[in-house]
Amino acid sequence: MSRIILMVIRCLPFIPYWFYMLGKLGKRDGYDEKTRYDFVHRMTTYINRVGRVVIESDGQENLPKENGYIMFPNHQGLYDVLAFLECHERPFSVVAKKEVKDVILLKQVFCVLRAQMIDRNDVRQGLKVIKKMTEEVLQGRNYIIFAEGTRSKRGNEIGEFKGGSFKSAMNAKCPIVPVALLDAFIPFDQNSIRKTTVQVHFLEPIYCEEYKDMKSKEIAKMVEERIRNKIEQCQREKQST
């Protein structure tokens, strides 16, 4: 909470303009996806800087050259998407739980990104989101979906990845990009304003040829293991320095 307050105080002169622009860009017509995304990207980069959060990222060369892929990161908290918005240059959207759809500013950002809000207790609504997401990925949109379903609440330990989260990728036959997040829980979950670093590691993509004969639960397990291995590798390297 302390860091959120710090961000709000330092951004006060810009907040009225940001809300005006987010409302304008959030309208369903008149602005292309790159224009909308570039504004949010610039805004987020500034918020991270004044909030004393440094984003260290690597593996951008692993991202497929063509749009129409889905990124599957581990989920650590509300801050996760802000890390991506700084270090991912191309536009993307996100599947988020409906519980955060009314969080101030986040609500407006999700509108600009054309995010899909999912009700985890409504199977039928969830299937509609999967269908919509599949259609948009086939049209060339990129997405982030958190396959754990909810944040781990155990720091850099990750939870079980749910097979159902991979249905859109399987239906669209699109590349799956595992992403390892480290320390993304610190900015908003720890009551501190000390300068902190969040790591984002884009791992090698998994193409349809590799997973086409696998079940969704098997794909989920494979992605989960690759992310866990990367996190453990990073932690070992940190301990050795």
Side-chain angles (χ1 to χ4, degrees):
M1 181 59 72
S2 297
R3 195 178 307 274
I4 295 175
I5 294 172
L6 174 68
M7 288 174 168
V8 170
I9 292 173
R10 290 187 167 180
C11 292
L12 272 177
F14 305 100
I15 287 177
Y17 170 70
W18 286 345
F19 271 102
Y20 167 75
M21 286 301 300
L22 289 171
K24 186 176 180 181
L25 294 169
K27 294 179 180 178
R28 287 289 163 180
D29 52 10
Y31 299 94
D32 60 56
E33 186 173 35
K34 187 175 188 307
T35 299
R36 298 195 310 269
Y37 182 81
D38 285 351
F39 177 81
V40 176
H41 171 75
R42 293 192 300 270
M43 182 184 76
T44 303
T45 300
Y46 181 80
I47 291 173
N48 286 338
R49 180 166 63 84
V50 300
R52 297 172 57 80
V53 182
V54 176
I55 308 299
E56 290 185 353
S57 64
D58 61 31
Q60 279 88 344
E61 70 278 4
N62 289 325
L63 293 171
K65 304 304 180 186
E66 300 295 329
N67 288 324
Y69 53 84
I70 303 178
M71 293 174 281
F72 289 87
N74 53 307
H75 193 12
Q76 298 194 329
L78 280 175
Y79 184 81
D80 295 354
V81 174
L82 294 181
F84 279 94
L85 285 168
E86 176 170 337
C87 67
H88 191 278
E89 294 293 332
R90 280 182 274 171
F92 67 83
S93 190
V94 61
V95 176
K97 59 184 180 181
K98 71 168 189 175
E99 287 84 356
V100 301
K101 70 181 180 67
D102 293 323
V103 176
I104 193 70
L105 190 59
L106 200 57
K107 172 183 178 180
Q108 286 76 16
V109 168
F110 280 160
C111 184
V112 171
L113 295 179
R114 305 294 191 260
Q116 301 290 332
M117 311 308 295
I118 191 166
D119 184 348
R120 293 175 295 178
N121 297 317
D122 187 336
V123 176
R124 182 174 296 180
Q125 190 267 350
L127 291 174
K128 289 182 179 178
V129 170
I130 289 173
K131 181 180 178 182
K132 177 68 173 176
M133 187 178 169
T134 300
E135 293 171 351
E136 294 191 355
V137 170
L138 286 170
Q139 293 168 6
R141 296 199 78 202
N142 306 317
Y143 262 92
I144 286 177
I145 185 168
F146 296 99
E148 288 163 278
T150 187
R151 59 181 178 149
S152 69
K153 299 182 182 180
R154 293 179 297 173
N156 287 318
E157 290 186 39
I158 69 175
E160 179 185 0
F161 278 33
K162 308 298 190 297
S165 302
F166 292 85
K167 291 293 186 182
S168 290
M170 296 172 72
N171 293 340
K173 297 180 174 60
C174 71
I176 291 170
V177 183
V179 188
L181 287 176
L182 285 88
D183 298 334
F185 64 94
I186 294 177
F188 287 171
D189 289 1
Q190 292 190 356
N191 193 29
S192 170
I193 59 172
R194 289 182 299 176
K195 189 173 183 179
T196 187
T197 299
V198 172
Q199 297 180 44
V200 183
H201 302 277
F202 298 96
L203 308 184
E204 291 187 7
I206 305 168
Y207 290 94
C208 181
E209 291 74 16
E210 184 175 351
Y211 68 75
K212 65 180 180 180
D213 296 322
M214 300 173 67
K215 296 179 180 178
S216 60
K217 289 184 178 180
E218 294 172 330
I219 299 172
K221 188 65 176 176
M222 175 173 62
V223 173
E224 177 189 327
E225 288 179 353
R226 293 189 184 189
I227 293 173
R228 179 176 285 109
N229 290 339
K230 182 62 178 180
I231 290 174
E232 291 175 353
Q233 175 192 337
C234 292
Q235 290 175 323
R236 287 195 300 269
E237 291 173 353
K238 184 177 181 180
Q239 291 171 357
S240 65
T241 57

